[in-house]
Coordinates of all heavy atoms in Angstrom, one line a residue:
M28 N 110.1 94.2 86.4 CA 109.8 94.2 84.9 C 108.8 93.1 84.5 O 108.9 92.0 85.1 CB 111.0 94.1 84.1 CG 112.1 95.2 84.3 SD 111.6 96.8 83.8 CE 112.5 96.9 82.3
I29 N 108.0 93.3 83.6 CA 107.0 92.3 83.1 C 107.2 92.0 81.6 O 107.3 93.1 80.8 CB 105.5 92.7 83.4 CG1 105.4 92.8 85.0 CG2 104.6 91.9 82.8 CD1 104.2 93.1 85.4
W30 N 107.3 90.8 81.3 CA 107.6 90.5 79.9 C 106.4 90.4 79.1 O 105.4 89.8 79.6 CB 108.3 89.1 79.8 CG 108.5 88.6 78.4 CD1 107.9 87.8 77.8 CD2 109.6 89.2 77.5 NE1 108.4 87.7 76.5 CE2 109.5 88.5 76.3 CE3 110.6 90.2 77.6 CZ2 110.3 88.7 75.3 CZ3 111.5 90.3 76.5 CH2 111.4 89.6 75.3
C31 N 106.2 91.1 77.9 CA 105.0 90.9 77.1 C 105.4 90.1 75.9 O 106.3 90.6 75.1 CB 104.6 92.3 76.5 SG 103.2 92.1 75.4
S32 N 104.9 89.0 75.8 CA 105.2 87.9 74.7 C 104.7 88.5 73.4 O 105.4 88.0 72.3 CB 104.7 86.5 75.1 OG 103.3 86.7 75.2
D33 N 103.7 89.2 73.4 CA 103.3 89.7 72.1 C 104.2 90.8 71.5 O 104.4 90.8 70.2 CB 101.9 90.4 72.3 CG 100.7 89.4 72.4 OD1 101.1 88.2 72.9 OD2 99.5 89.6 72.0
C34 N 104.7 91.6 72.4 CA 105.6 92.7 72.0 C 107.1 92.2 71.9 O 107.9 92.9 71.3 CB 105.5 93.9 72.8 SG 103.8 94.6 72.9
E35 N 107.2 91.2 72.6 CA 108.7 90.6 72.7 C 109.6 91.7 73.4 O 110.7 91.8 72.9 CB 109.2 90.0 71.4 CG 108.4 88.9 71.0 CD 109.0 88.1 69.8 OE1 109.7 88.8 68.9 OE2 108.8 86.9 69.7
R36 N 109.0 92.2 74.3 CA 109.9 93.2 75.2 C 109.2 93.3 76.5 O 108.1 92.7 76.8 CB 109.9 94.6 74.5 CG 108.6 95.3 74.3 CD 108.7 96.7 74.1 NE 109.0 97.4 75.4 CZ 109.1 98.7 75.5 NH1 108.7 99.5 74.5 NH2 109.5 99.3 76.7
D37 N 110.1 93.8 77.4 CA 109.5 93.8 78.8 C 109.3 95.4 79.2 O 109.8 96.3 78.7 CB 110.5 93.3 79.9 CG 111.9 93.7 79.7 OD1 112.1 94.7 78.9 OD2 112.8 93.3 80.3
F38 N 108.3 95.5 80.1 CA 107.8 96.8 80.6 C 108.0 97.0 82.1 O 107.7 95.9 82.8 CB 106.4 97.0 80.1 CG 106.2 97.1 78.7 CD1 105.7 95.9 78.0 CD2 106.3 98.3 78.0 CE1 105.6 95.9 76.6 CE2 106.1 98.3 76.6 CZ 105.7 97.3 75.9
D39 N 108.3 98.1 82.6 CA 108.2 98.4 83.9 C 106.9 98.4 84.4 O 106.0 98.8 83.6 CB 108.9 99.8 84.2 CG 109.1 100.0 85.6 OD1 110.2 99.6 86.2 OD2 108.1 100.5 86.4
V40 N 106.6 97.8 85.6 CA 105.2 97.8 86.1 C 104.5 99.1 86.0 O 103.2 99.3 85.7 CB 105.2 97.2 87.5 CG1 103.8 97.1 88.1 CG2 105.9 95.8 87.5
G41 N 105.3 100.2 86.3 CA 104.7 101.5 86.3 C 104.2 102.0 84.9 O 103.5 103.0 84.9
L42 N 104.7 101.3 83.8 CA 104.4 101.8 82.6 C 103.1 101.0 82.1 O 102.5 101.6 81.0 CB 105.5 101.4 81.6 CG 106.8 102.2 81.6 CD1 107.8 101.6 80.8 CD2 106.6 103.6 81.4
L43 N 102.7 100.0 82.8 CA 101.4 99.3 82.3 C 100.3 100.2 82.4 O 100.3 101.3 83.1 CB 101.2 98.2 83.2 CG 102.4 97.1 83.2 CD1 102.0 96.0 84.0 CD2 102.5 96.6 81.8
I44 N 99.2 99.9 81.6 CA 97.9 100.7 81.6 C 97.4 100.4 83.1 O 97.6 99.4 83.7 CB 97.0 100.2 80.5 CG1 97.7 100.5 79.1 CG2 95.7 101.0 80.6 CD1 97.1 99.9 78.0
E45 N 96.3 101.2 83.4 CA 95.8 101.1 84.7 C 95.2 99.8 85.2 O 95.5 99.4 86.4 CB 94.7 102.1 84.8 CG 95.1 103.7 85.0 CD 93.8 104.5 85.0 OE1 92.8 104.2 85.2 OE2 93.9 105.7 84.6
D46 N 94.8 99.1 84.2 CA 94.3 97.8 84.6 C 95.4 96.7 84.5 O 95.0 95.4 84.6 CB 93.1 97.3 83.5 CG 93.5 97.3 82.1 OD1 94.6 97.6 81.9 OD2 92.6 96.9 81.3
G47 N 96.6 97.1 84.2 CA 97.7 96.1 84.2 C 98.0 95.5 82.8 O 98.6 94.5 82.7
S48 N 97.5 96.2 81.8 CA 97.8 95.8 80.5 C 98.9 96.4 79.9 O 99.4 97.5 80.3 CB 96.5 96.0 79.5 OG 95.3 95.5 80.1
C49 N 99.6 95.7 78.7 CA 100.6 96.3 78.0 C 100.2 97.6 77.4 O 99.3 97.7 76.8 CB 101.0 95.3 76.9 SG 102.3 95.7 75.8
P50 N 101.1 98.6 77.5 CA 100.9 99.9 77.0 C 101.0 99.8 75.5 O 100.5 100.8 74.8 CB 101.9 100.8 77.6 CG 103.1 99.8 78.0 CD 102.4 98.6 78.4
A51 N 101.7 98.9 75.0 CA 101.8 98.8 73.4 C 100.7 98.1 72.7 O 100.1 98.7 71.7 CB 103.2 98.3 73.2
C52 N 100.4 96.9 73.2 CA 99.5 96.1 72.4 C 98.1 95.9 73.2 O 97.2 95.4 72.7 CB 100.2 94.7 72.1 SG 100.4 93.7 73.5
G53 N 98.2 96.3 74.5 CA 96.9 96.3 75.2 C 96.6 94.9 75.8 O 95.5 94.7 76.5
V54 N 97.5 93.8 75.7 CA 97.1 92.5 76.3 C 97.2 92.6 77.8 O 98.3 93.4 78.2 CB 98.1 91.5 75.6 CG1 99.4 91.5 76.1 CG2 97.4 90.1 75.7
W55 N 96.5 91.9 78.5 CA 96.6 91.9 80.0 C 98.0 91.2 80.4 O 98.1 90.1 79.9 CB 95.5 91.2 80.5 CG 95.5 91.4 82.1 CD1 95.0 92.4 82.8 CD2 95.9 90.2 83.0 NE1 95.1 92.1 84.1 CE2 95.8 90.8 84.3 CE3 96.4 89.1 82.9 CZ2 96.2 90.2 85.4 CZ3 96.8 88.4 83.9 CH2 96.7 88.9 85.2
L56 N 98.7 91.9 81.2 CA 99.9 91.2 81.8 C 100.0 90.9 83.2 O 100.5 89.9 83.5 CB 101.2 92.2 81.3 CG 101.3 92.4 79.8 CD1 102.5 93.5 79.8 CD2 101.7 91.2 79.1
A57 N 99.5 91.9 84.0 CA 99.6 91.5 85.4 C 98.6 92.4 86.2 O 97.9 93.1 85.6 CB 101.0 92.0 85.9
D58 N 98.4 91.9 87.5 CA 97.5 92.7 88.3 C 98.0 94.3 88.4 O 99.2 94.4 88.4 CB 97.5 92.2 89.7 CG 96.6 90.8 89.8 OD1 95.6 90.8 89.0 OD2 97.0 89.9 90.5
P59 N 97.0 95.2 88.3 CA 97.6 96.6 88.3 C 98.3 96.8 89.6 O 97.9 96.3 90.8 CB 96.3 97.4 88.2 CG 95.2 96.4 88.6 CD 95.7 95.0 88.3
P60 N 99.3 97.7 89.7 CA 99.8 98.1 90.9 C 98.8 98.8 91.8 O 98.0 99.4 91.3 CB 101.0 99.2 90.5 CG 100.5 99.6 89.1 CD 99.8 98.4 88.6
K61 N 99.0 98.7 93.0 CA 98.0 99.2 94.1 C 98.0 100.7 94.1 O 98.7 101.4 95.0 CB 98.5 98.7 95.4 CG 98.5 97.1 95.7 CD 97.0 96.4 95.7 CE 97.2 95.0 95.7 NZ 95.9 94.3 95.4
G62 N 97.3 101.3 93.1 CA 97.3 102.6 93.1 C 96.1 103.2 93.9 O 96.1 104.4 94.2
G63 N 95.1 102.3 94.2 CA 94.0 102.8 94.9 C 94.2 103.1 96.4 O 93.7 104.1 96.9
S64 N 95.1 102.3 97.0 CA 95.4 102.4 98.4 C 96.6 103.2 98.7 O 97.7 102.9 98.1 CB 95.4 101.0 99.2 OG 96.5 100.3 98.6
V65 N 96.5 104.3 99.5 CA 97.6 105.0 99.7 C 98.4 104.4 101.0 O 97.7 104.0 102.0 CB 97.2 106.4 100.1 CG1 98.3 107.4 100.3 CG2 96.3 107.0 99.0
P66 N 99.7 104.3 100.9 CA 100.5 103.8 102.0 C 100.3 104.7 103.4 O 100.0 105.9 103.2 CB 101.8 103.8 101.7 CG 102.0 104.8 100.5 CD 100.5 104.7 99.8
W67 N 100.2 104.1 104.4 CA 99.9 104.7 105.8 C 100.8 106.0 106.0 O 100.5 107.0 106.4 CB 100.0 103.8 106.9 CG 101.4 103.3 107.1 CD1 101.9 102.1 106.6 CD2 102.4 103.8 107.9 NE1 103.2 101.9 107.1 CE2 103.6 102.8 107.8 CE3 102.5 105.0 108.8 CZ2 104.7 103.2 108.6 CZ3 103.8 105.1 109.4 CH2 104.8 104.3 109.3
H68 N 102.1 105.9 105.5 CA 103.2 107.0 105.8 C 102.8 108.2 105.0 O 103.2 109.2 105.4 CB 104.6 106.4 105.7 CG 104.9 105.6 104.4 ND1 105.1 106.3 103.1 CD2 105.0 104.3 104.2 CE1 105.4 105.4 102.2 NE2 105.2 104.2 102.9
F69 N 102.0 107.9 103.9 CA 101.6 109.2 103.2 C 100.7 110.0 104.1 O 100.9 111.2 104.0 CB 100.9 108.6 102.0 CG 100.2 109.9 101.2 CD1 100.8 110.6 100.3 CD2 98.8 110.1 101.5 CE1 100.2 111.7 99.6 CE2 98.1 111.1 100.8 CZ 98.8 111.9 99.9
W70 N 99.9 109.5 104.9 CA 98.9 110.2 105.6 C 99.6 110.8 106.8 O 99.4 111.9 107.3 CB 97.9 109.3 106.1 CG 97.1 108.8 105.1 CD1 97.0 107.5 104.5 CD2 96.1 109.6 104.3 NE1 96.0 107.4 103.4 CE2 95.6 108.8 103.3 CE3 95.7 110.8 104.2 CZ2 94.6 109.1 102.3 CZ3 94.8 111.3 103.3 CH2 94.3 110.5 102.3
V71 N 100.8 110.2 107.3 CA 101.5 110.7 108.3 C 102.3 112.0 107.8 O 102.2 113.0 108.5 CB 102.6 109.7 108.8 CG1 103.6 110.4 109.8 CG2 102.1 108.5 109.4
V72 N 102.9 112.0 106.6 CA 103.4 113.0 106.1 C 102.5 114.2 105.8 O 102.7 115.3 106.1 CB 104.3 112.7 104.8 CG1 104.8 113.9 104.0 CG2 105.4 111.7 105.1
L73 N 101.3 113.7 105.2 CA 100.3 114.8 105.0 C 99.8 115.6 106.1 O 99.7 116.7 106.3 CB 99.1 114.0 104.1 CG 98.0 115.1 103.6 CD1 98.6 115.9 102.4 CD2 96.9 114.3 103.2
T74 N 99.6 114.6 107.3 CA 99.0 115.2 108.4 C 100.0 116.1 108.9 O 99.7 117.2 109.5 CB 98.6 114.1 109.4 OG1 97.8 113.3 108.9 CG2 98.2 114.8 110.7
G75 N 101.4 115.8 108.9 CA 102.4 116.7 109.4 C 102.6 117.9 108.7 O 102.6 119.1 109.3
A76 N 102.4 117.8 107.4 CA 102.5 119.1 106.5 C 101.3 119.9 106.6 O 101.6 121.1 106.7 CB 102.6 118.5 105.0
V77 N 100.1 119.5 106.8 CA 99.0 120.3 107.0 C 99.0 120.9 108.3 O 98.7 122.0 108.5 CB 97.6 119.3 106.9 CG1 96.4 120.2 107.3 CG2 97.5 118.9 105.4
G78 N 99.3 120.2 109.3 CA 99.6 120.7 110.7 C 100.6 121.8 110.8 O 100.2 122.9 111.3
Y79 N 101.8 121.5 110.1 CA 102.8 122.5 110.1 C 102.3 123.8 109.4 O 102.4 124.9 109.8 CB 103.9 122.0 109.3 CG 105.1 122.9 109.2 CD1 105.8 123.4 110.3 CD2 105.4 123.6 108.1 CE1 106.8 124.3 110.2 CE2 106.3 124.5 107.9 CZ 107.2 124.9 108.9 OH 108.1 125.7 108.7
L80 N 101.6 123.6 108.2 CA 101.2 124.9 107.4 C 100.0 125.5 108.2 O 100.0 126.8 108.1 CB 100.7 124.4 106.0 CG 101.8 123.9 105.0 CD1 101.3 123.3 103.8 CD2 102.7 125.1 104.7
G81 N 99.3 124.8 108.9 CA 98.2 125.4 109.6 C 98.8 126.2 110.7 O 98.3 127.4 110.9
W82 N 99.7 125.7 111.3 CA 100.4 126.5 112.5 C 101.1 127.6 112.0 O 101.0 128.7 112.5 CB 101.4 125.5 113.2 CG 102.2 126.2 114.2 CD1 103.6 126.3 114.2 CD2 101.9 126.9 115.4 NE1 104.1 127.0 115.2 CE2 103.0 127.3 115.9 CE3 100.7 127.1 115.9 CZ2 103.0 128.2 117.1 CZ3 100.5 127.9 117.0 CH2 101.8 128.4 117.7
R83 N 101.7 127.5 110.9 CA 102.5 128.7 110.2 C 101.4 129.7 109.8 O 101.7 130.9 109.9 CB 103.2 128.3 109.0 CG 104.5 127.5 109.4 CD 105.3 128.2 110.4 NE 105.7 129.6 110.0 CZ 107.0 129.7 109.4 NH1 107.8 128.7 109.3 NH2 107.3 131.0 109.0
A84 N 100.2 129.4 109.4 CA 99.0 130.2 109.0 C 98.6 131.0 110.1 O 98.4 132.2 110.2 CB 97.9 129.5 108.3
I85 N 98.5 130.2 111.3 CA 98.0 130.8 112.6 C 98.9 131.9 112.9 O 98.8 133.1 113.4 CB 97.8 129.8 113.6 CG1 96.6 129.0 113.2 CG2 97.6 130.4 115.0 CD1 96.5 127.6 114.1
Q86 N 100.3 131.6 113.0 CA 101.4 132.5 113.4 C 101.3 133.6 112.5 O 101.5 134.8 113.0 CB 102.6 131.8 113.1 CG 103.1 130.8 114.3 CD 104.5 130.2 114.1 OE1 105.0 130.0 113.0 NE2 105.3 130.1 115.2
G87 N 101.1 133.6 111.2 CA 101.0 134.6 110.2 C 99.8 135.4 110.7 O 100.0 136.8 110.6
I88 N 98.7 134.9 111.0 CA 97.5 135.7 111.4 C 97.9 136.4 112.6 O 97.6 137.8 112.8 CB 96.3 134.8 111.6 CG1 95.8 134.2 110.1 CG2 95.2 135.6 112.3 CD1 94.8 133.1 110.3
I89 N 98.4 135.8 113.6 CA 98.8 136.5 114.9 C 99.8 137.6 114.6 O 99.6 138.7 115.1 CB 99.4 135.3 115.9 CG1 98.5 134.3 116.3 CG2 100.1 136.1 117.0 CD1 99.0 133.1 117.1
W90 N 100.8 137.3 113.7 CA 101.7 138.4 113.4 C 101.1 139.5 112.7 O 101.4 140.7 113.0 CB 102.8 137.8 112.5 CG 103.8 138.8 112.0 CD1 105.0 139.2 112.6 CD2 103.7 139.5 110.8 NE1 105.5 140.1 111.9 CE2 104.9 140.4 110.9 CE3 102.9 139.6 109.6 CZ2 105.2 141.3 109.7 CZ3 103.1 140.5 108.5 CH2 104.3 141.2 108.5
A91 N 100.0 139.2 111.8 CA 99.4 140.4 111.1 C 98.4 141.2 111.9 O 98.3 142.4 111.8 CB 98.5 139.6 110.0
V92 N 97.9 140.6 112.9 CA 96.9 141.4 113.8 C 97.6 142.1 115.0 O 96.9 143.0 115.5 CB 95.6 140.5 114.4 CG1 95.0 140.0 113.2 CG2 96.2 139.5 115.3
S93 N 98.8 141.6 115.3 CA 99.4 142.2 116.6 C 100.4 143.4 116.1 O 100.6 143.6 114.9 CB 100.4 141.2 117.2 OG 101.2 140.6 116.3
Ligands
ZN121 ZN1 102.6 94.0 74.5

């Protein structure tokens, strides 16, 4: 949680505006959360999902033509 002294309340980091500003008054509060870089395990999951779906698609094509 990040405290905004202007609003006299605290905000969850996820509620802040993209540049890390207060969503209510717009004053800058903190560095924005790392939204630009995707964690490495995201790519592991994505690669696995794409690979699995691709394999299932190939199986479907094989099933359809046989
Ligand atoms: Zn504020």
